[in-house]
Amino acid sequence: MSEYVKVAEIFGQHVFNDTVMQERLPKKIYRELKNTIEEGKELDLATADVIAHEMKEWAIEQGATHYTHWFQPLTGVTAEKHDSFISAPLESGKVLMSFSGKELIKGEPDASSFPSGGLRATFEARGYTAWDCTSPAFVRHDAGGATLCIPTAFCSYTGEALDQKTPLLRSMEAINTQALRLLRLFGNTTSKRVTPSVGPEQEYFLIDKEKYKKRKDLIFTGRTLFGAMPPKGQEMDDHYFGKIRSRVASYMKEVNQELWKLGVSAKTQHNEAAPAQHELAPIYAKVNVAVDHNQIIMQTLKSVANRHGMHCLLHEKPFAGVNGSGKHNNWSLTTDDGINLLEPGKTPHENVQFLLILTCILKAVDDYAELLRESAADVGNDHRLGANEAPPAIISVFLGDQLEDVIDQLVNTGMATHSIKSGTLETGVKTLPNLNKDTSDRNRTSPFAFTGNKFEFRMVGSSDSVAGPNVVLNTIVADAFREACDEMEKAEDLNLCIHDLIKKFATEHCRIIFNGNGYSQEWVEEAARRGLPNITNMVDAIPYLKDEKSIALFERFGVFTRAELESRVEIKYETYSKVINIEARSMIDIATKQIIPAVVKYTTVLANSINAVRQASDADVSVQVDLLNQTSSLLRESKTALEELKKLTEEAAAMEAGQEQAQFYNRKVMKAMEALRRPVDELEMLVDKDMWPMPSYGDLLFEV
């Protein structure tokens, strides 16, 4: 019988959270820290010394011997350098365990080897990590023991952001400032802070670890570069929300427990659409905490899988032919006194504050659609966006019947006089209760959907940090709020100004609203008629990060400087090129060393068998001959495609890093990779399974 776990007792037990701080810190120190967290006041070194001492004592009680400034450089993963708590040895030969406020507040990792996009020269090594006290420290237990992890921002010696966290915190300040301006104009004098809250859903695949070790493509790239579809895929829809297999259920149980101990509110788990695909969703948290938690979730999914003899794949498209994985970013705005600014109420047509906020968001998404699309651009995401399994690459907003009707009224008549009621769902079964329906259905094809009291940005890739998309969301909405507040603050008649702004924004930006089927070709054509951008790949999306409109936006709020944006553009081009280069070289390596030798062996055995039969009898060997000819023809096609891929990969690698190189990889090398995969996947269906050099899709997807 499984061990019973009391969630309330273990939740947050490895986190230096508010409860722990209240228990351990002197009241004055606790108040100082809370003021820093809630009001952004600077923390003095004497206060930091007291906090550091108590944090160290608590961490040691948790078994910690080391601490680390845990940060998120522009590599897409987290980074850390560990230092022990021991100080210089005493004359007695003993050591003291110490941790100062200075060590808590500031770290100094080497910045030279992290991506900087030209912000730092290789010989310029100094970088700083700065404690983000708004995201709680935690103790992580793993094979290396227990480590106190302190969430931090990461900046260069000259002050530029070299990480995901710094611009995120800047964007939070931007939207807080502008949202408070708006609330004050509506008469709210009590709310002191407005914070974006996020609940990122995490999709992932689980496969057997031993089979994973036999797939060099998965090891090198995180996705299968070759692989024929098995007789069954996901067409029966029997995996989606199906009974969770015992092995996976045991894994999920441990994942939940590990996350709960670290204060991550893992709530929902289920089987996803594709075989071997699953999802985990947490409860909402402040966006910077949610970003940290999502990194913890991804790391935990991987580490726990290893202990269960499995491997967790976070790539957006690890298997062709079945759904890939995304990370839905559920975004809302809440005040420190508990008001959700995206709550429409029962009669949204009468909720003037909500209508202004809603139309500001429509304006933001429409004005900066290209930038929002770029925020979700990822090499792996190129394989899934617009592929009838994820939102299309065209940015649009789903509002649902009720809100779309309100917007239509505003556009057509200048005012909204009614709201569609939700109604009742009658099941037709007497023993079942009638249910109160929501005001609208959901639309899974929409990239940016309103779902009751939040917006769900569905384009984000499963392996990506959610920091980037939320930096953009926070900043573009802050800009729309700024424009509205500028008009309202100088208006003689505030109510009339608000009314005119709502109508203006609704009328000018209603083109971004689409409640229909985003997968249809008709929508692609309609979107083009509306003038909406359709950016189909990462390489074409990157330039929008540094166009003059984007630079002006980010500099206006101090979220990015021009230099920081230009550096990120360079990093993104380099990242794209490096990823495709690794994939192409992996295909070349696998085809050369594994696939072609296996096919040659098979054809040799088959040819010898044909000759042996012919020498022994007059039996008909036409089937064997046809099979040999077919296999040999595909082998020749594979060899020709392999040589072309080699040539193009060498040509691409010799180019100077940047946009032109990334475009070459996108336009030329990717097509050559597809040309090699086609005959190889056909060969997999012909060659004796015992001779094929790697586990098949069927082995990977259905044997967990």
Side-chain angles (χ1 to χ4, degrees), residues 220-250:
F220 292 143
T221 73
R223 75 180 182 102
T224 53
L225 302 171
F226 301 104
M229 277 297 293
K232 178 186 177 183
Q234 64 185 62
E235 61 272 17
M236 296 303 295
D237 299 320
D238 51 344
H239 188 259
Y240 190 53
F241 278 31
K243 185 180 184 301
I244 299 170
R245 299 178 188 178
S246 297
R247 186 179 182 187
V248 175
S250 176

Side-chain angles (χ1 to χ4, degrees), residues 601-611 624 627-629 631:
K601 179 181 179 181
Y602 172 72
T603 54
T604 301
V605 170
L606 184 57
N608 290 339
S609 175
I610 291 169
N611 290 332
Q624 293 94 315
L627 183 58
L628 179 60
N629 289 337
T631 305

Side-chain angles (χ1 to χ4, degrees), residues 421-437:
K421 302 299 181 183
S422 56
T424 303
L425 176 66
E426 297 182 3
T427 62
V429 179
K430 291 181 179 180
T431 55
L432 295 178
N434 291 331
L435 305 174
N436 292 327
K437 292 200 298 184

Side-chain angles (χ1 to χ4, degrees), residues 94-121:
K94 302 289 186 180
V95 293
L96 291 175
M97 305 290 272
S98 66
F99 183 50
S100 69
K102 182 179 179 181
E103 290 170 316
L104 170 62
I105 290 173
K106 188 182 82 170
E108 192 179 320
D110 187 332
S112 63
S113 296
F114 290 108
S116 72
L119 285 176
R120 302 290 286 152

